[in-house]
Amino acid sequence: MRGVLVIAGKDLRNLFLSPLFYGIAGLCTIAWTLVYFLGLQDFAQASAMSMMQGGQEGGANIHFVVFARHISLVNLVMIFSVSAMSMRLFTEEKRNQTMSLLLTSPVTATEITLGKLLAGLTAAWALVAISFLYPLSLRAFASFDWGPLISSYMGLLLITGCYVAIGMFASSLTESTVLSVVMALIFNVMLWFVGAVAEAQPEPPWNKIFEHLNVGTHFVNFIKGSVSVAGLTFFASVIVLMTFLTQRVVESNRWR
Amino acid sequence: MDMIEVSGLFKSYGPIQAIHDINFKVKRGEVVGFLGPNGAGKSTTMKIITGSMAPSGGSVRVAGFDVFEDPIEVKKRIGYLPENPPVYGDMSVESYLKFVAKLKGVEASRVKAQVEKSIEKTDLGSVRRRLIQNLSKGYRQRVGIAQALVSDPEVLILDEPTSGLDPRQVAEVRALIKELKGEHTIILSTHILPEVQAMCERIIIINRGHIVAQDSLEGLSTRMAGATQVKIKVARPSGEVEKSLQAIPGVSALVRVSMATLWRLPQVVPQTVRPTVSLSELLKQPFSRGRGFLSFAVRARILKRFS
């Protein structure tokens, strides 16, 4: 446990003291601000329309018009930015030749991997926290239901957790930062393409299987405000599986 | 008591045998030098002792703990300086050493004192707040040594500790290692003979993955005192040439230094011969007639070969 915190602490310190994190966070907020603003405009228009029609329909739903759109953009941006940040986790260590320091220190491969995961999660979740400021700031002007927003953010935290674990695994496989980023991107995007396969498989046993493997269905459920055991299990198992694979790769350094 | 016990160590990278049946013991407080040309297997042996690489066969015990059964116990006791100092360019010297101290399990209350101590020993006070990426190679190497010392380990494994240093720094590092003698058990590798003479009590000579000799410095020089090394160049070396050289009475060892080069350039076959071997005997050998016996040189002491 000590090793986990020491390694995570070092990585986070180096990340938050480097311009990389601020560069990524800055670029993310530019994209988010533009689209969030457009979402708000659409919402204002839709509300005005329903007001003119007498307001019987109950007006537009801010969660779907503004927040859901914001969250799906955050997700899209995270696929790229988390891949870029998580490449550092192991690839940098190997390029710096500092991997031998970690491997000859009294820490286990599991501690090294969990330390890296913790650092990656903290960095990625810091970005998610920044994106949470957008809906939060709206609270000053309007009242809305917290429930679906919180469940959406739960989904967002879990899915970025998956991206981190996948990126960490990719970075453990190679010494090349470029290859590591490209691999992470491909794995992350593949996660979403399982959905396309699911749609192309109408046969009974397969469509169910692919539906459960589809990030899209689980994530949309979180956005809709339904937190299901199936969804939690899915995300948790992706993270655990990727962490386990990374741990095996790190451990294999000892016997290769 | 034996601090380090290496027995029957093998390592192969695919078809290439890096080290071959390495056996040695190091007593507590002893300073042992690994001497050998590049690619002899020094680094491989050191990596295996530190537990960062697994051998293909054999075992290593450090302070009574098996490296593969109790790796954590072993690693607590080892400070390791690899060939390239394992430093993070974007950290300052001081924060880097703090990180290593914590990573090596130094108690939180002693971290600061240990960092100070290793900074002082390696004379890094003037650069402690600078980023490691902005330091010269010599300073980086010293940061590497400081890193190995910071947890005050019982065993120090230093892979070419003086490489990249200027002569004054080399002298300083040698003095430092002498100072550490007794407190720590030290294994260091080098391909420079005076280095070993200056710092070590015992020498292990490795060549092509084999231990060629291991003895105290005095023992080794007396053993080799009578021997003469003769370096012979032939244009068309073959197994036959080697065989006939070995057949000369008095030849104790035959080492080929360079393998085939481009366009059949002359090759060098040095050999150790007792002084009793007469030159005429050499010249009588078949390879000397029409087979391109190009030159030979006589060297007085075998140890020179490593310098």
Side-chain angles (χ1 to χ4, degrees):
Chain A
M1 197 53 210
R2 172 190 55 82
V4 176
L5 294 179
V6 170
I7 291 170
K10 186 268 299 172
D11 271 9
L12 283 174
R13 202 179 156 282
N14 289 1
L15 180 66
F16 288 128
L17 287 180
S18 79
L20 178 78
F21 179 78
Y22 301 99
I24 289 178
L27 290 173
C28 287
T29 50
I30 292 173
W32 295 338
T33 309
L34 283 173
V35 174
Y36 195 73
F37 184 66
L38 291 177
L40 280 178
Q41 269 187 334
D42 281 0
F43 178 68
Q45 242 166 36
S47 304
M49 289 280 275
S50 81
M51 287 274 262
M52 283 194 289
Q53 281 159 8
Q56 288 108 340
E57 307 281 303
N61 185 337
I62 194 166
H63 183 71
F64 287 108
V65 178
V66 183
F67 298 161
R69 215 197 263 188
H70 174 61
I71 284 163
S72 58
L73 178 68
V74 172
N75 170 52
L76 181 68
V77 169
M78 284 309 225
I79 291 182
F80 297 95
S81 48
V82 168
S83 301
M85 288 195 302
S86 59
M87 83 185 180
R88 288 170 56 98
L89 294 173
F90 281 104
T91 311
E92 288 277 282
E93 300 277 357
K94 285 187 249 179
R95 278 161 53 92
N96 277 338
Q97 320 247 11
T98 44
M99 202 60 197
S100 68
L101 174 66
L102 298 183
L103 290 176
T104 56
S105 295
V107 287
T108 59
T110 314
E111 281 179 295
I112 297 174
T113 313
L114 290 180
K116 293 287 176 190
L117 181 68
L118 185 61
L121 286 179
T122 315
W125 288 353
L127 284 183
V128 175
I130 292 172
S131 81
F132 189 66
L133 295 175
Y134 291 78
L136 199 64
S137 66
L138 212 59
R139 196 66 193 176
F141 313 104
S143 69
F144 49 79
D145 189 7
W146 282 113
L149 184 65
I150 288 175
S151 88
S152 311
Y153 263 87
M154 244 169 87
L156 204 52
L157 290 179
L158 286 169
I159 205 160
T160 43
C162 294
Y163 299 152
V164 169
I166 289 170
M168 175 175 77
F169 175 60
S171 84
S172 76
L173 292 177
T174 168
E175 267 184 52
S176 143
T177 42
V178 176
L179 192 58
S180 146
V181 176
V182 171
M183 269 201 292
L185 279 175
I186 289 176
F187 289 157
N188 286 340
V189 170
M190 255 161 57
L191 212 58
W192 283 94
F193 274 96
V194 175
V197 180
E199 275 161 28
Q201 287 286 347
E203 302 297 306
W206 295 106
N207 63 352
K208 278 281 166 206
I209 292 173
F210 278 107
E211 207 181 290
H212 276 289
L213 288 176
N214 185 359
V215 213
T217 41
H218 295 295
F219 190 49
V220 167
N221 282 339
F222 275 99
I223 291 185
K224 282 181 185 158
S226 92
V227 178
S228 66
V229 177
L232 290 174
T233 317
F234 172 77
F235 287 122
S237 37
V238 172
I239 297 174
V240 169
L241 174 70
M242 287 299 157
T243 311
F244 169 74
L245 290 177
T246 313
Q247 193 268 354
R248 296 320 293 164
V249 174
V250 175
E251 180 72 30
S252 78
N253 280 306
R254 289 188 218 275
W255 46 259
R256 257 187 304 184
Chain B
M1 185 206 158
D2 289 321
M3 197 65 192
I4 301 169
E5 246 185 281
V6 174
S7 50
L9 217 54
F10 279 89
K11 174 75 190 178
S12 44
Y13 299 108
I16 300 155
Q17 280 264 339
I19 57 170
H20 215 75
D21 197 19
I22 299 278
N23 293 288
F24 64 88
K25 285 176 183 173
V26 181
K27 288 193 193 67
R28 188 181 286 274
E30 210 176 7
V31 181
V32 171
F34 271 6
L35 190 62
N38 296 329
K42 296 175 300 217
S43 294
T44 304
T45 312
M46 290 182 138
K47 278 184 194 158
I48 294 173
I49 296 173
T50 56
S52 60
M53 183 190 271
S56 312
S59 76
V60 177
R61 298 180 82 81
V62 175
F65 295 101
D66 190 287
V67 171
F68 305 99
E69 278 156 27
D70 294 305
I72 299 293
E73 286 302 318
V74 170
K75 287 172 189 176
K76 274 183 196 163
R77 290 168 170 78
I78 287 184
Y80 173 48
L81 169 69
E83 272 170 303
N84 300 298
V87 293
Y88 297 94
D90 51 1
M91 283 177 109
S92 74
V93 172
E94 201 175 343
S95 58
Y96 167 70
L97 290 176
K98 261 186 201 152
F99 161 67
V100 178
K102 284 187 214 154
L103 187 68
K104 299 265 175 174
V106 174
E107 290 160 46
S109 58
R110 284 179 50 235
V111 167
K112 212 168 163 47
Q114 283 300 123
V115 169
E116 287 307 318
K117 206 169 131 192
S118 71
I119 284 181
E120 191 196 325
K121 275 187 178 171
T122 48
D123 196 16
L124 285 166
S126 58
V127 295
R128 60 192 302 159
R129 291 193 208 293
R130 287 181 52 189
L131 292 186
I132 297 175
Q133 64 193 0
N134 298 334
L135 296 181
S136 68
K137 190 168 187 296
Y139 270 113
R140 270 186 219 197
Q141 183 74 10
R142 283 204 257 170
V143 174
I145 298 174
Q147 162 274 131
L149 287 173
V150 79
S151 59
D152 198 20
E154 291 173 59
V155 178
L156 278 175
I157 311 265
L158 309 172
D159 202 346
E160 310 211 350
T162 55
S163 79
L165 301 183
D166 65 37
R168 193 178 61 87
Q169 291 167 336
V170 169
E172 279 170 10
V173 169
R174 286 181 188 172
L176 172 68
I177 288 170
K178 270 187 185 163
E179 201 181 294
L180 296 170
K181 208 185 275 186
E183 290 174 54
H184 308 265
T185 307
I186 304 175
I187 296 185
L188 59 91
S189 77
T190 176
H191 51 259
I192 307 161
L193 176 66
E195 192 113 274
V196 187
Q197 286 173 322
M199 296 185 280
C200 306
E201 292 154 347
R202 205 151 64 84
I203 303 181
I204 296 173
I205 300 176
I206 303 184
N207 192 16
R208 297 209 210 162
H210 295 267
I211 290 189
V212 184
Q214 53 173 318
D215 207 339
S216 65
L217 203 55
E218 299 78 45
L220 216 55
S221 18
T222 41
R223 183 135 57 103
M224 298 300 186
T228 312
Q229 187 192 21
V230 180
K231 207 175 197 181
I232 298 169
K233 243 182 216 177
V234 286
R236 281 181 287 279
S238 63
E240 216 179 303
V241 174
E242 265 177 68
K243 245 183 255 163
S244 59
L245 278 173
Q246 246 149 6
I248 303 173
V251 173
S252 62
L254 192 71
V255 183
R256 197 179 218 174
V257 262
S258 78
M259 292 302 290
T261 42
L262 288 172
W263 306 295
R264 296 188 175 204
L265 283 178
Q267 294 190 349
V268 185
V269 183
Q271 54 164 332
T272 315
V273 285
R274 290 278 160 200
T276 49
V277 179
S278 66
L279 290 179
S280 59
E281 190 81 35
L282 267 178
L283 295 169
K284 252 190 262 165
Q285 294 307 311
F287 66 84
S288 63
R289 287 193 300 271
R291 284 190 181 235
F293 179 41
L294 295 174
S295 77
F296 70 82
V298 182
R299 285 208 191 166
R301 279 177 54 209
I302 179 120
L303 280 178
K304 275 269 160 63
R305 187 154 60 82
F306 297 96
S307 59

